[in-house]
Amino acid sequence: MTTLPQTSPMRAPRVGTNGHLAMPVMHGPAPVPSHSMTGADVWRVIRANIWLILSTLVIAAIVGFLANMWLLARHSRYTSVGLLQVRTPGEIPHRLMQDGVGADPATLEIESRTHAKRLTHEALISTVLEQSEPVRQTEWFNQFITYKDGKHVPDVQAAKQDMMDHLDVIPQPQSRLLEVSMTYSVPKDARIIVQALCDEYLSQVKRQQNLDQDERMKNLSDMVNSYESEISKWTRMRDEDAKELGANGVGINGSNLKMWELQYLQDQEKEYRGHFNEYDFKLKNFKIELANNSSYEMYKALSGDSELYNLKILERQYKVEAEALADRGRESEVAKSAQARLDRYKAERQDLEAQLNAQNSAAIENEYQAAVQGNKKSMEEVEKKIEGLEKVISDLATKQLQYMNHQKLLEYFTDKRDKVKDEMDQLGTVRSSSRFNPIEWAQQPNTPDHPSFPKLWLVLSATMTLGLALSLGIAFLREMTDTTVRSPRDIARVGQMTLLGMIPHEANDPQVAAGRLALAIFDSPHSIIAEQFRHVRTRLQHAASLDTTRSILVSGCSPEDGKTTVACNIAAGLALNGRRILLVDANFRRPQLHTVFAVSNESGFGDVLNNAEVFAQSVRETEVPNLSVMPSGNRPSNPTELLESQLLVDFIERALEEYDHVIFDSGPLLMVSDSIALAPRVDGVITVIRARGNSRGLLQRVRDELRRLKAEHLGVVLNAVRVQGGGYYGPMIKNYYAYQNR
């Protein structure tokens, strides 16, 4: 009987090379992961359920075809369509003079919507139902006739409501057309209803138009009479102005005799003013010359006097004689007699000059003064005439302006009268022609020969849309209700866990089929599974310092997760990397290592825990360089107690004296207590999750359990990831081997 060992304490957290704790255990609540789906997740779900989606679409198409046939047989509907053409007020001639509205798109849209509202008004529909005999004889109307009090009484209110429900009046965009349609199971009835409704509306519009035209014609006639009265008044006033202007020499064409007379007087006034200025200047200049004794006029007057001229000749003769006798002697009697005669004629000449100067200066001054006064008087008289004539011309100009105003008013009212008469003529043309109606038939309704409901493409579209929505709903419902771990995103949802790597399913890697999956990294080194295990090894070196993380436990959530496969490949990978590895089978319930490596299981880990002396003989060398394996050996009766005792710590320390790392392959952490006892006593724990085999809840429980045990969680290996079903490795495997073969 084995002695129950003393329980040993858990291993303290490892110390890194820098003296600090390596990979500290994380405590506290886990962060809330994001549950939003990316585009890649949506596409993955669609690819995973593509056959469900395609099958549903095919079934929906078949159902849609059958439904269309059933609807055609039981609930077919026919739509009769009529087209009405709308005109704007500006396109009707008798309205052009009134408001000048053009056929612009905004006005046309307003008119179209107005007619559409009036066509669907209850009053019009009631009139059609009560007065249109063809409508009352249709099968459609007969369905609303009930037998009451011994008589057949139509339910007009119900018929009106049904017509409003199935009648459509739609303005056609970018056109002047109104589409009037009625849908019913009998094609002929639908056409009759549209025809009767539109005819009644056109008749009402025509009657209203005639009333408006009669009222307009009366107003136009009154306007013509008013304009005629104005024309008569302004004609009389214009003629009076013309008569008065003609009497004063002013013509209606602008000619004016008074203006010519004024021009003549202005020329005379200009001439008199010139003479006045000329003689006034001569008078002033004569006075100045007279004062300076240099007047040419005086010299001219003296030169013309004969007596003065004779005296000057005699004076000149006696002067010559006196000068001649003076040579003989001035004292002689002859000289003195000659000098006396000279003096006498000189005095007479001077006296005569003085007398003539006085007479001539007065005469010349009087002449100039008379000329100045005469011209001034004539100028003043002409100015008075000009002033009076200008007043007359001003009055005539006012009268002429008045004449022109009267003429313009006469022309204005004449033009208004003529336009009104033209409008009256156009109005008469409109009354006699239907092409000027505000609305008229563009195309009368036909009897439809093809049903408007159902339409195969509409029914198929509806059923296939519903089928697509149903299949996508089922696909995403499966996705939302599937809690298994399938991708790194699912691991991220759990939170606070490092993903060391993803290992493809062996069925998707043809190169591992001939070898051992547990030693794929050794037997099939060029396979993608081996490549992924090398990735795990590399990430493990980055996730933990392998110099201090020397004892590692490989565990999982449940059986068949591939813990042994992962443990063997990690151990082989580290051994191939030059490290001496001891792989220990700590799964006493389902040991596998002796089968994988084809070694004896007579003694092993269970025996060494009970007796450390058998350590050396329990270790088996393998074909993998630097890799030794210790099978489980004989199962002890108390494995959990042994793993919780100091014996395990002594075993790890003994093993690490010879090996760089000790890797334990154990059972499921949540199912056996052996793994729980072992986890806190090693340097780190690796959790193996089988894709689509374990739920996120189990993974979260493993994480929480390791946190409670204060075990060092190195990370998660996602094992057996499938290509199909929305897997991640399809393109990767194809590209990997294509790259390898180049």
Side-chain angles (χ1 to χ4, degrees):
M1 180 177 179
T2 305
T3 305
L4 189 66
Q6 182 180 0
T7 302
S8 67
M10 293 182 292
R11 290 173 61 87
R14 65 188 184 279
V15 179
T17 56
N18 56 0
H20 299 285
L21 292 179
M23 295 287 293
V25 179
M26 300 176 67
H27 300 285
V32 179
S34 173
H35 296 281
S36 60
M37 297 187 69
T38 64
D41 293 325
V42 173
W43 178 237
R44 176 178 55 79
V45 173
I46 292 175
R47 286 191 292 113
N49 298 273
I50 189 65
W51 289 110
L52 170 65
I53 296 172
L54 294 177
S55 301
T56 306
L57 287 177
V58 172
I59 295 173
I62 297 173
V63 171
F65 182 78
L66 296 176
N68 185 73
M69 294 181 61
W70 181 79
L71 290 172
L72 279 174
R74 299 293 183 89
H75 299 281
S76 60
R77 292 290 184 270
Y78 296 85
T79 300
S80 179
V81 179
L83 296 177
L84 297 175
Q85 181 173 335
V86 179
R87 288 189 178 89
T88 62
E91 296 176 284
I92 302 175
H94 76 279
R95 297 295 299 274
L96 288 173
M97 306 298 179
Q98 180 177 349
D99 50 27
V101 178
D104 61 281
T107 304
L108 184 60
E109 182 180 1
I110 293 173
E111 289 296 320
S112 299
R113 292 184 179 275
T114 301
H115 287 298
K117 283 293 184 182
R118 293 177 63 184
L119 276 165
T120 56
H121 196 270
E122 292 187 14
L124 176 64
I125 296 176
S126 298
T127 301
V128 172
L129 293 176
E130 293 173 359
Q131 298 181 5
S132 177
E133 194 62 29
V135 174
R136 298 176 71 87
Q137 293 178 359
T138 58
E139 294 183 21
W140 172 82
F141 188 79
N142 289 334
Q143 66 179 328
F144 301 105
I145 297 178
T146 58
Y147 190 78
K148 185 178 181 181
D149 298 333
K151 296 188 295 183
H152 293 281
V153 180
D155 189 350
V156 178
Q157 187 63 32
K160 179 170 64 176
Q161 186 61 45
D162 186 78
M163 182 183 291
M164 294 176 64
D165 292 340
H166 296 89
L167 178 69
D168 290 316
V169 181
I170 304 173
Q172 298 302 299
Q174 305 299 324
S175 73
R176 58 177 73 247
L177 297 178
L178 275 179
E179 182 183 278
V180 183
S181 61
M182 177 68 185
T183 302
Y184 186 56
S185 58
V186 180
K188 182 180 178 181
D189 290 359
R191 181 190 64 78
I192 291 174
I193 292 172
V194 173
Q195 183 79 39
L197 180 71
C198 293
D199 286 343
E200 177 61 29
Y201 180 70
L202 294 178
S203 176
Q204 290 184 5
V205 171
K206 185 63 177 177
R207 288 196 298 270
Q208 184 62 43
Q209 185 184 30
N210 290 336
L211 291 176
D212 293 342
Q213 290 172 350
D214 291 340
E215 180 68 21
R216 181 63 179 164
M217 186 67 78
K218 182 178 180 303
N219 293 335
L220 292 176
S221 179
D222 293 341
M223 291 171 65
V224 168
N225 294 333
S226 174
Y227 292 150
E228 290 286 358
S229 176
E230 292 292 330
I231 290 171
S232 177
K233 180 180 72 172
W234 296 116
T235 300
R236 176 176 51 80
M237 296 179 69
R238 183 204 62 180
D239 293 343
E240 291 176 356
D241 294 338
K243 182 178 180 181
E244 184 176 352
L245 290 171
N248 288 277
V250 179
I252 60 175
N253 58 352
S255 61
N256 193 340
L257 296 177
K258 296 294 184 181
M259 291 297 295
W260 295 345
E261 183 179 353
L262 177 63
Q263 183 65 39
Y264 174 74
L265 291 174
Q266 288 176 343
D267 291 342
Q268 276 192 332
E269 190 268 343
K270 183 178 181 181
E271 182 180 355
Y272 288 141
R273 186 176 295 278
H275 292 328
F276 169 80
N277 292 332
E278 178 184 358
Y279 285 110
D280 185 62
F281 174 76
K282 286 182 178 182
L283 177 61
K284 293 178 180 178
N285 192 47
F286 174 74
K287 289 180 179 181
I288 294 172
E289 290 176 349
L290 189 62
N292 295 327
N293 198 20
S294 60
S295 173
Y296 174 75
E297 295 292 335
M298 291 295 294
Y299 172 76
K300 185 178 178 182
L302 291 176
S303 298
D305 188 82
S306 60
E307 184 179 0
L308 180 61
Y309 179 72
N310 292 330
L311 287 174
K312 285 183 177 181
I313 291 174
L314 291 173
E315 182 184 0
R316 190 176 301 111
Q317 291 175 354
Y318 285 115
K319 184 177 180 181
V320 172
E321 181 181 358
E323 289 177 352
L325 292 175
D327 294 338
R328 300 176 183 178
R330 293 185 178 273
E331 296 299 329
S332 64
E333 289 295 331
V334 178
K336 290 181 179 179
S337 176
Q339 183 65 41
R341 287 193 300 272
L342 176 62
D343 292 337
R344 181 169 57 82
Y345 283 116
K346 185 177 181 181
E348 289 179 3
R349 192 257 313 161
Q350 290 177 347
D351 291 339
L352 182 58
E353 281 184 351
Q355 182 182 357
L356 289 175
N357 283 334
Q359 292 176 357
N360 290 334
S361 64
I364 292 173
E365 185 175 353
N366 290 334
E367 180 185 353
Y368 285 161
Q369 190 70 35
V372 169
Q373 293 298 326
N375 283 291
K376 181 178 181 181
K377 182 178 181 182
S378 298
M379 185 176 64
E380 290 175 351
E381 289 176 356
V382 172
E383 286 178 348
K384 287 182 180 180
K385 289 180 180 180
I386 289 175
E387 183 178 355
L389 188 58
E390 285 180 343
K391 185 176 183 305
V392 172
I393 291 174
S394 176
D395 294 339
L396 290 176
T398 302
K399 181 62 70 175
Q400 193 173 22
L401 181 61
Q402 182 176 332
Y403 169 84
M404 294 174 63
N405 289 335
H406 292 165
Q407 180 66 26
K408 288 182 179 179
L409 287 171
L410 178 61
E411 292 174 354
Y412 170 76
F413 285 110
T414 302
D415 183 64
K416 296 288 287 186
R417 180 201 62 187
D418 294 341
K419 287 184 178 180
V420 172
K421 285 185 176 182
D422 290 342
E423 189 172 355
M424 292 177 68
D425 294 339
Q426 292 175 354
L427 185 58
T429 304
V430 169
R431 291 175 64 88
S432 61
S433 176
S434 62
R435 68 186 185 91
F436 296 121
N437 292 334
I439 185 171
E440 62 181 358
W441 280 112
Q443 181 178 336
Q444 297 199 2
N446 61 332
T447 302
D449 52 1
H450 295 288
S452 58
F453 177 83
K455 296 289 187 182
L456 180 59
W457 67 273
L458 282 176
V459 176
L460 285 179
S461 298
T463 55
M464 293 184 71
T465 300
L466 291 175
L468 179 62
L470 178 62
S471 61
L472 290 176
I474 294 173
F476 283 98
L477 181 63
R478 290 175 59 188
E479 173 70 15
M480 299 305 293
T481 55
D482 188 357
T483 61
T484 59
V485 178
R486 294 161 292 166
S487 65
R489 183 172 178 272
D490 297 322
I491 296 175
R493 288 183 179 181
V494 178
Q496 285 190 331
M497 304 184 77
T498 301
L499 178 64
L500 295 177
M502 296 186 296
I503 310 302
H505 196 280
E506 62 269 18
N508 299 131
D509 191 352
Q511 288 201 10
V512 300
R516 293 168 293 181
L517 179 63
L519 289 175
I521 197 171
F522 180 75
D523 291 347
S524 306
H526 301 297
S527 66
I528 192 171
I529 290 181
E531 187 70 21
Q532 292 302 309
F533 274 118
R534 284 191 284 270
H535 288 177
V536 172
R537 179 186 65 191
T538 301
R539 294 190 184 104
L540 182 62
Q541 291 174 348
H542 287 82
S545 175
L546 293 183
D547 293 335
T548 56
T549 307
R550 302 183 64 188
S551 58
I552 300 174
L553 170 66
V554 179
S555 183
C557 299
S558 58
E560 307 299 332
D561 287 342
K563 298 178 292 299
T564 301
T565 299
V566 173
C568 292
N569 278 284
I570 290 177
L574 292 174
L576 292 173
N577 205 21
R579 299 176 183 269
R580 299 182 69 251
I581 306 298
L582 176 62
L583 179 60
V584 179
D585 193 344
N587 190 349
F588 296 113
R589 291 168 173 79
R590 290 186 181 181
Q592 295 290 331
L593 290 185
H594 66 283
T595 303
V596 173
F597 290 95
V599 296
S600 173
N601 195 27
E602 292 180 359
S603 64
F605 182 49
D607 301 294
V608 175
L609 289 178
N610 285 312
N611 184 7
E613 295 180 358
V614 298
F615 181 89
Q617 67 185 39
S618 298
V619 175
R620 311 286 192 271
E621 298 297 329
T622 67
E623 55 190 312
V624 181
N626 299 321
L627 176 61
S628 301
V629 64
M630 179 181 289
S632 62
N634 296 310
R635 178 181 179 182
S637 59
N638 54 347
T640 303
E641 288 76 7
L642 292 175
L643 294 174
E644 290 178 345
S645 68
Q646 184 65 31
L647 296 176
L648 175 63
V649 177
D650 295 340
F651 170 80
I652 294 174
E653 292 178 351
R654 169 72 176 80
L656 292 179
E657 291 177 359
E658 299 182 17
Y659 297 94
D660 295 323
H661 297 282
V662 179
I663 298 177
F664 294 93
D665 176 26
S666 69
L669 185 69
L670 299 178
M671 297 184 64
V672 296
S673 59
D674 301 353
S675 300
I676 295 177
L678 189 57
R681 290 167 175 80
V682 295
D683 293 333
V685 179
I686 296 176
T687 303
V688 180
I689 299 295
R690 188 173 186 84
R692 307 189 71 87
N694 298 128
S695 66
R696 294 192 298 272
L698 284 176
L699 182 59
Q700 185 173 0
R701 288 176 57 192
V702 169
R703 184 202 66 186
D704 295 341
E705 184 66 28
L706 292 175
R707 287 165 55 85
R708 283 191 292 270
L709 295 173
K710 297 183 180 181
E712 200 72 41
H713 195 192
L714 300 180
V716 177
V717 176
L718 185 59
N719 188 33
V721 179
R722 300 299 296 261
V723 172
Q724 70 273 14
Y728 285 82
Y729 272 102
M732 181 176 178
I733 293 175
K734 180 180 178 181
N735 295 333
Y736 175 78
Y737 285 118
Y739 183 78
Q740 289 273 33
N741 295 329
R742 287 184 180 179

